[in-house]
Amino acid sequence: MKQMIKFEVKRMLRNPGFYIAMMIGLLISVVHWIVWVLPAARGMDKYMSLDFALLYPPNLYNSWICEGNNMYSYLYLLILPILVTLPYAATFFSDVNDHLIEFICTRADKREYFYAKFTAVFLSGGIVSCVPLIFNILLCMAVVPTIKPQAAASTSNMVPKGSFSALLFTHPAVYVAISLIVIFLFSGALAAFALNVAFYSNHIFTVLLTPLVLNVFLSALFQLLNLQSWEPSNFINPAYSSPRMIPFVVETAVLLIITGWEFIYRGRQEDIC
């Protein structure tokens, strides 16, 4: 099993889609830093030279891309369902149509192949979604101070009812870490969801775009039901100020259970290799 997982992970790292998705995410992060963070950092000289007793300085936790309502955060979360499928989610479809799966299954157990493929696709989605965000955080740390945000300063959208809101003001690094884990897990689940589509579609673009369609459908559905916290783009957003952990846990668990069971169980039953 370990050897098969290593094999699939190596294939993932050799896939051009992995680096294309990574570069798109990094580009958005860098543009945000240049347009949004650098001007604030340049204003630090003015802040230090004048007596702004009631003005809290810009800091890491209200400057990084996912903390605040800025167009770059919105854009990143909007295209995230596409980014997470580009690295590796369509390779099962390619393996079947190129008959590569037959070659693999003659040298490895069929069950191990499906477990390894599911694991590699999940990891690819999580890695591609979080690495650009971590890079953005590092860029911000280089130019703005890493000090705790203050609730009285009104520099954050977070309110007391928000999930882990107290952590943002007491242990902000822990809050950011939890937010990245949330994004990693849901992104991995979205990427894995694309695996099942290969059973039903003859077109690779359908496999790549289905997570985006699912994301839009869920957002529209919960918007109509007035359940905004259940919209994926909201509960994975660290700046969202309403309770979001229950929607995240439920939707991520449902995606992983349905996708994992169908892909691995059906994959073992289907005569595809």
Side-chain angles (χ1 to χ4, degrees), residues 1-270:
M1 179 69 75
K2 290 182 179 179
Q3 292 300 320
M4 181 56 70
I5 292 176
K6 288 181 180 178
F7 172 72
E8 288 294 333
V9 170
K10 288 180 180 179
R11 289 184 65 197
M12 174 192 76
L13 294 175
R14 295 192 187 109
N15 195 317
F18 180 83
Y19 298 99
I20 292 172
M22 190 75 74
M23 290 304 298
I24 293 173
L26 289 172
L27 178 63
I28 296 174
S29 292
V30 171
V31 172
H32 163 266
W33 181 73
I34 293 172
V35 176
W36 195 269
V37 182
L38 277 185
R42 292 192 185 103
M44 286 295 294
D45 293 336
K46 183 179 179 181
Y47 176 87
M48 296 298 292
S49 63
L50 299 175
D51 185 16
F52 290 141
L54 298 180
L55 182 63
Y56 201 67
N59 59 83
L60 169 65
Y61 301 107
N62 62 20
S63 299
W64 74 292
I65 187 170
C66 283
E67 181 55 45
N69 294 322
N70 61 79
M71 62 171 290
Y72 303 100
S73 174
Y74 176 78
L75 175 62
Y76 190 84
L77 296 178
L78 179 67
I79 68 171
L80 191 62
I82 297 178
L83 292 183
V84 299
T85 58
L86 282 177
Y88 206 56
T91 54
F92 174 66
F93 178 91
S94 301
D95 287 353
V96 173
N97 284 270
D98 296 341
H99 303 287
L100 181 61
I101 190 172
E102 299 169 7
F103 173 79
I104 295 174
C105 287
T106 59
R107 288 159 174 78
D109 184 72
K110 189 176 180 181
R111 178 181 62 88
E112 291 184 359
Y113 168 79
F114 283 96
Y115 274 113
K117 178 67 73 175
F118 183 87
T119 302
V121 170
F122 177 85
L123 290 175
S124 70
I127 292 171
V128 163
S129 65
C130 286
V131 168
L133 299 181
I134 295 173
F135 184 68
N136 181 263
I137 291 172
L138 295 176
L139 288 176
C140 293
M141 290 174 65
V143 295
V144 293
T146 308
I147 56 177
K148 292 181 182 180
Q150 297 292 327
S154 299
T155 57
S156 172
N157 295 323
M158 187 59 64
V159 295
K161 68 176 181 178
S163 296
F164 304 112
S165 58
L167 276 178
L168 177 61
F169 300 106
T170 56
H171 299 88
V174 176
Y175 180 85
V176 171
I178 292 174
S179 298
L180 290 175
I181 292 172
V182 167
I183 295 171
F184 184 99
L185 293 177
F186 186 73
S187 297
L190 267 185
F193 178 76
L195 286 170
N196 287 355
V197 183
F199 289 123
Y200 305 101
S201 175
N202 295 320
H203 303 283
I204 193 170
F205 289 106
T206 305
V207 177
L208 291 172
L209 294 177
T210 297
L212 176 63
V213 174
L214 174 67
N215 188 70
V216 172
F217 170 76
L218 291 175
S219 296
L221 174 64
F222 291 121
Q223 185 74 33
L224 288 173
L225 297 175
N226 198 30
L227 296 171
Q228 283 79 11
S229 61
W230 287 77
E231 296 178 37
S233 58
N234 284 338
F235 66 66
I236 65 172
N237 187 352
Y240 190 64
S241 58
S242 293
R244 58 191 178 98
M245 282 299 107
I246 292 178
F248 157 70
V249 171
V250 171
E251 293 188 35
T252 303
V254 169
L255 271 178
L256 286 176
I257 291 171
I258 293 177
T259 302
W261 180 84
E262 182 179 10
F263 179 71
I264 295 172
Y265 176 79
R266 182 174 177 178
R268 292 166 60 184
Q269 302 301 317
E270 289 277 338

